[in-house]
Amino acid sequence: MEPFKIHILGCGSALPTLRHNPSAQVVEIREKQFLVDCGEGTQLQMRRSKIGFNRLCAVFISHIHGDHCFGLIGMLSSFGLLGRTMPLAIYAPKELKPVLDMLLETFCNDFDYEIQFHAVDTKKRAVIYEDRSLTVESIPLKHREPCAGFLFREKPTLPHIRRDMIDFYHIPVSQINNIKNGASWTDEDGNVIPSNRLTRPADPPRSYAYCSDTCYLPELHKQLEGTTCIYHETTYATEDAEKATKYCHSTAAQAAQVARDAHAGRLLLGHYSSKYDNEQVLLEEARAVFPASELTREGMVVELK
């Protein structure tokens, strides 16, 4: 099975603390790396996690609150200083573009790589990125600024070849792809061996949903049905539900409701308010609703299977 990992670089909220960095993650799928949000200090966190700058092929920014994008211009500058030549795609709400253009013109106007900006419509679900192995969809969220989540989804793969059967029937290597695509094989005695005897079922496609800052959305689970793993902001505990409503955030219990109703495989908690010296209260609250809940922490690597 090919790697599908989430590197947690920051899981705090707006006010930086000595315990947590602002929001940032790297999603690694089949040797491709995608940065999701870029709070202050993200490039330092990438170095600590030994994530190579040159392997990053796209950046996804959920919204333009500073704890989700203050680290972007510094990272782009470092890419230029390191001699990057490969284009970098940035997917973000359209409101970021004039700010980014001004910063690039001021600080990053002589670099050798192209920045390709793609405006994300935060009001509709759409495929915004696609390659041979995966798609990334935007997920409408509700916050104080236009905001979108992102759903990374593997494309189905072909069945696995059974090497013992290939050797037994002396099937040439040139026919392996045909067999994976459903072709049968006729042996020298005229016996037809169907493809399903020569292969094992393909690995089920995995998926990861990043739900950034948002108030609780009772219908959100419908867009995340069956997701392998969901990251959902859990800024507050239920005792601070009024604050969550006021600032368009979610409680840990509400995040767990989304994961439970979506029949997700697991839930990652993050975007903790700085008021909590210990996030255990958030974990306990979430697990009471959805047992497969986990706290994120800086340096954590989550592997999807």
Side-chain angles (χ1 to χ4, degrees), residues 76-91:
L76 297 179
S77 176
S78 293
F79 286 178
L81 294 171
L82 289 169
R84 182 186 178 107
T85 57
M86 184 176 69
L88 180 69
I90 297 177
Y91 298 83

Side-chain angles (χ1 to χ4, degrees), residues 12-258:
S13 57
L15 185 64
T17 69
L18 295 177
R19 298 178 61 247
H20 293 302
N21 282 64
S23 295
Q25 300 181 5
V26 167
V27 179
E28 179 182 350
I29 306 177
R30 301 186 186 184
E31 299 186 352
K32 296 184 287 288
Q33 293 182 341
F34 306 90
L35 179 66
V36 186
D37 278 340
C38 190
E40 185 178 357
T42 291
Q43 61 177 318
L44 297 178
Q45 290 295 89
M46 290 176 67
R47 288 193 181 278
R48 290 189 180 101
S49 297
K50 296 181 171 55
I51 296 172
F53 287 177
N54 287 329
R55 290 181 59 192
L56 203 65
C57 57
V59 177
F60 297 85
I61 301 295
S62 62
H63 64 295
I64 62 168
H65 278 163
D67 56 319
H68 295 260
C69 62
F70 275 170
L72 183 58
I73 191 64
M75 186 188 70
L76 297 179
S77 176
S78 293
F79 286 178
L81 294 171
L82 289 169
R84 182 186 178 107
T85 57
M86 184 176 69
L88 180 69
I90 297 177
Y91 298 83
K94 66 180 186 300
E95 290 81 5
L96 179 62
K97 191 173 190 306
V99 179
L100 184 61
D101 285 346
M102 181 272 292
L103 292 171
L104 289 173
E105 178 63 27
T106 304
F107 298 108
C108 307
N109 57 10
D110 59 349
F111 293 151
D112 296 326
Y113 73 100
E114 179 188 5
I115 293 173
Q116 302 166 340
F117 187 89
H118 302 269
V120 174
D121 186 342
T122 60
K123 295 182 179 180
K124 70 177 183 179
R125 178 171 179 165
V127 174
I128 57 176
Y129 174 92
E130 183 172 13
D131 61 28
R132 292 177 59 185
S133 59
L134 80 144
T135 60
V136 182
E137 300 173 53
S138 59
I139 303 295
L141 300 176
K142 185 178 180 181
H143 193 45
R144 302 191 308 279
E145 291 285 338
C147 186
F150 304 106
L151 177 58
F152 294 79
R153 193 191 302 275
E154 281 185 313
K155 292 182 177 180
T157 57
L158 294 175
H160 299 286
I161 204 74
R162 287 187 57 182
R163 176 56 61 183
D164 58 334
M165 299 296 282
I166 296 298
D167 292 343
F168 180 80
Y169 287 107
H170 306 291
I171 299 174
V173 173
S174 62
Q175 296 304 305
I176 286 179
N177 278 340
N178 292 335
I179 291 169
K180 285 185 175 183
N181 280 286
S184 57
W185 173 255
T186 304
D187 66 14
E188 56 189 18
D189 297 323
N191 299 310
V192 177
I193 299 90
S195 171
N196 60 10
R197 286 189 59 197
L198 304 172
T199 59
R200 292 183 290 104
D203 298 320
R206 295 161 292 180
S207 53
Y208 175 63
Y210 176 87
C211 297
S212 180
D213 296 14
T214 183
C215 63
Y216 173 61
L217 298 174
E219 302 298 310
L220 179 59
H221 70 276
K222 295 180 180 179
Q223 301 190 63
L224 307 177
E225 176 64 35
T227 303
T228 307
C229 182
I230 295 174
Y231 171 91
H232 194 295
E233 71 118 293
T234 50
T235 308
Y236 295 107
T238 299
E239 65 182 11
D240 291 310
E242 289 187 7
K243 285 186 178 180
T245 300
K246 178 179 179 180
Y247 298 114
C248 287
H249 284 298
S250 298
T251 67
Q254 290 170 337
Q257 288 173 43
V258 171

